[in-house]
Amino acid sequence: MNSAARRIGRTLALVLPVVLVLSGTLAVTRVPWASPGTDSQMLTASSENASTKAGSRAPQDVLRDRLLVELQEKNPGVALTHLQEETTKRPSLAKHCVAIARALGRAAVAKYGGAAHRAQAWSRPVCDTSFATGVASVQ
């Protein structure tokens, strides 16, 4: 039971931040304290006044999150292909390839409900055997 709880926790840790960002939680919010009787006051998050902290994410983190979403929406093969393309286009990302591929491996197992053999079927020689290592680390 402990491993099942750990697996659920890992899945939530990977998926929840992506869902929150994609759902646009900070899109539009009413400001009820602005003045009583006025409904027109709105607080909107935009690129001009949004926090710069969100924009200062490391390129490898942005790539990892994008590939994790892609893995969920399509399949691990598409995400691995795009990982290979990105590391070829931007060699500075190559040193993060292993960590990203492992995260994709773990996410693939989570996507297929713990069926490591289904996740392993998507394995490719991207970043050596890091995807396969990620798949195996969940078991």
Side-chain angles (χ1 to χ4, degrees), residues 6 12 23-24 31 38 43 54 60 66 88 101-103 128 130 137:
R6 190 174 309 156
L12 285 174
S23 67
V31 184
T38 16
L43 173 64
Q60 67 271 15
R66 188 184 60 159
T88 301
R102 282 187 186 153
D128 297 324
S130 300
S137 73

Side-chain angles (χ1 to χ4, degrees), residues 45-68:
S46 69
S47 60
E48 291 85 31
N49 58 8
S51 163
T52 56
K53 186 174 184 179
S56 65
R57 293 183 60 217
Q60 67 271 15
D61 295 337
V62 173
L63 175 62
R64 184 195 62 237
D65 292 348
R66 188 184 60 159
L67 293 174
L68 287 170

